[in-house]
Amino acid sequence: QVQLVESGGGLVQPGGSLRLSCAASGNIFSINLMGWYRQAPGKQRELVATITTGGSTNYVDSVKGRFTISRDNAKNTVFLQMNSLTPEDTAVYYCQIKQKGFIYWGQGTQVTVSS
C-alpha cells in the first residue's frame, strides 16, 4: 500500500502565496513521476505540474511563471510553491505519483483564493 498525505492548503488573498506538500509513504521503492492536479467546482480535474525523478518539470500554461514544483527524493515528498494566486486558482489540489505503472492519489487539499 502507498499513502499520500497532503498539507499546506488554506485561504489566501489574491496575490498571496501558499506552499503545498505531499509526502508518500508505505510501499515506496521507485517513484517515477510526481505531480499536482486540481479540480475546481463544476470542472474536470486538470494537470497543474509534474516533475520527474531527474527534476524535469512540466506546467499547465495558466500557472507558468507563478507556480514551482519541486521534490525531495530522499523523503519521497513533492512540493508546489504557488505565488501570485488568483481566484481562478481556487480548487481542491491533489498530488499524484506514478510507480511501476501504478498511479496513486492523495486525498486533496482545499486552496481558496478570496478577498
Side-chain angles (χ1 to χ4, degrees):
Q1 285 284 11
V2 173
Q3 295 81 39
L4 302 180
V5 178
E6 298 149 346
S7 61
L11 173 65
V12 63
Q13 291 186 342
S17 298
L18 283 175
R19 187 180 192 232
L20 305 183
S21 300
C22 174
S25 62
N27 193 20
I28 301 295
F29 47 89
S30 181
I31 298 174
N32 304 113
L33 190 71
M34 306 183 85
W36 290 94
Y37 288 70
R38 67 185 179 186
Q39 187 166 18
K43 295 187 177 181
Q44 291 188 334
R45 190 173 298 188
E46 68 168 351
L47 171 69
V48 176
T50 60
I51 184 167
T52 66
T53 304
S56 296
T57 59
N58 179 56
Y59 298 92
V60 68
D61 285 346
S62 61
V63 308
K64 286 181 179 177
R66 300 188 299 122
F67 290 11
T68 302
I69 189 171
S70 60
R71 63 189 281 176
D72 183 333
N73 290 329
K75 296 182 178 180
N76 298 319
T77 301
V78 61
F79 306 95
L80 186 68
Q81 178 66 45
M82 305 185 293
N83 298 328
S84 301
L85 285 161
T86 74
E88 288 67 39
D89 296 314
T90 295
V92 178
Y93 284 70
Y94 299 89
C95 70
Q96 181 205 76
I97 68 168
K98 294 182 180 179
Q99 175 175 264
K100 298 296 185 184
F102 291 90
I103 295 174
Y104 303 91
W105 291 93
Q107 80 285 357
T109 185
Q110 177 70 46
V111 171
T112 302
V113 185
S114 175
S115 55

